[in-house]
Amino acid sequence: MEELTLLILGAGWTSTFLLPLLDAHNISFAATTTSGRSVEGHPTLPFKFDPSAPADETRSAVASLPRARYVLVTFPLTGEGQSPRRPWITRHSPYDKTKPRAVAEDELLALSGCVLNLAGLWGGARDPKNWRNRVAATKEMVKGKKSLHLIHGVDVARAVVALVEGGDETWERSGRGQRWMLTDGFVYDWWALLAGWAEEGEDKEKPIEQVKWVGELMRGGGCQGVAKVYGDAREVL
């Protein structure tokens, strides 16, 4: 079988943006899902990675997959066999190397892989304003909200294509052993976002509850305006 350019392990939400872009760039690929369902009009291969499975079972499952020059793993890896805070966090900032995901990512980097750490994913059905009742359901939760970093699914897809389309030179320069943090370059303040969504509730005549809490917190904390990213030492990528 001819070697593909890209094998995607776990064709989930990101693939709804990635597969059309791969088609547009004429990049050969195959993708897996746990059920073998169709994604963006493309059939996928049924595959489920179980790190606790016997080694021979894992080898057999992997051997059944098509060969590819690059393999994109979209599901989280944790542990083997698979930080102090600063105002500005970069891909070179210290991090807690004992966390299971960090252990897995460091192992992948040591094997000449590439890690893309993604900010909050949005696009398509994912809309940050729909998160408010889950992440800011109480005044206390709103009080703890700081900065928000986002990346659109299209930009994630573009980053993957840029890595696999450029050939060996691009991979050696920007892929092999590299960790990248993908954001849209903006730092959003949760309080400012919540205030901006004042009329996004079911009752258009009544502002959402979070707006009232933001006002109360600003008055109680002596805050005259948002966003207060630097003075509040909010996390910035």
Side-chain angles (χ1 to χ4, degrees), residues 63-112:
S64 68
L65 297 173
R67 293 182 59 83
R69 186 174 185 82
Y70 303 99
V71 178
L72 173 64
V73 182
T74 66
F75 47 80
L77 300 176
T78 57
E80 294 182 345
Q82 330 256 305
S83 84
R85 300 292 186 180
R86 294 182 177 182
W88 282 94
I89 301 172
T90 74
R91 70 191 186 107
H92 301 297
S93 297
Y95 57 93
D96 187 349
K97 294 179 178 289
T98 65
K99 291 186 175 181
R101 183 171 293 189
V103 171
E105 290 179 352
D106 285 346
E107 185 178 73
L108 181 62
L109 292 172
L111 294 172
S112 301

Side-chain angles (χ1 to χ4, degrees), residues 9-215:
L9 298 183
W13 178 84
T14 301
S15 290
T16 62
F17 300 95
L18 178 56
L19 300 195
L21 194 60
L22 292 172
D23 282 335
H25 286 252
N26 294 314
I27 296 175
S28 60
F29 68 91
T32 74
T33 59
T34 56
S35 63
R37 63 187 174 85
S38 177
V39 177
E40 292 299 306
H42 292 274
T44 65
L45 303 169
F47 175 79
K48 185 174 183 178
F49 177 67
D50 180 4
S52 64
D56 58 343
E57 184 178 315
T58 300
R59 281 194 295 269
S60 176
V62 171
S64 68
L65 297 173
R67 293 182 59 83
R69 186 174 185 82
Y70 303 99
V71 178
L72 173 64
V73 182
T74 66
F75 47 80
L77 300 176
T78 57
E80 294 182 345
Q82 330 256 305
S83 84
R85 300 292 186 180
R86 294 182 177 182
W88 282 94
I89 301 172
T90 74
R91 70 191 186 107
H92 301 297
S93 297
Y95 57 93
D96 187 349
K97 294 179 178 289
T98 65
K99 291 186 175 181
R101 183 171 293 189
V103 171
E105 290 179 352
D106 285 346
E107 185 178 73
L108 181 62
L109 292 172
L111 294 172
S112 301
C114 178
V115 172
L116 302 180
N117 292 135
L118 309 180
L121 296 170
W122 78 282
R126 289 183 182 236
D127 189 333
K129 70 179 62 173
N130 296 332
W131 307 341
R132 65 178 186 273
N133 290 330
R134 175 169 52 87
V135 302
T138 66
K139 183 177 178 179
E140 193 62 27
M141 292 174 72
V142 171
K143 182 179 180 180
K145 283 296 163 196
K146 298 181 180 180
S147 58
L148 175 65
H149 308 275
L150 298 170
I151 183 73
H152 196 283
V154 169
D155 293 319
V156 176
R158 288 169 176 163
V160 173
V161 167
L163 281 172
V164 304
E165 190 178 39
D168 291 343
E169 182 179 348
T170 297
W171 180 257
E172 292 298 327
R173 181 181 66 252
S174 303
R176 185 182 298 276
Q178 297 281 348
R179 179 193 302 276
W180 296 98
M181 299 176 68
L182 299 187
T183 82
D184 63 10
F186 290 89
V187 182
Y188 303 92
D189 186 279
W190 265 111
W191 288 10
L193 290 174
L194 291 170
W197 298 332
E199 298 179 356
E200 294 293 338
E202 295 182 2
D203 184 353
K204 302 299 182 182
E205 301 299 321
K206 181 181 179 181
I208 60 175
E209 191 76 4
Q210 288 88 347
V211 174
K212 181 184 74 172
W213 294 335
V214 168

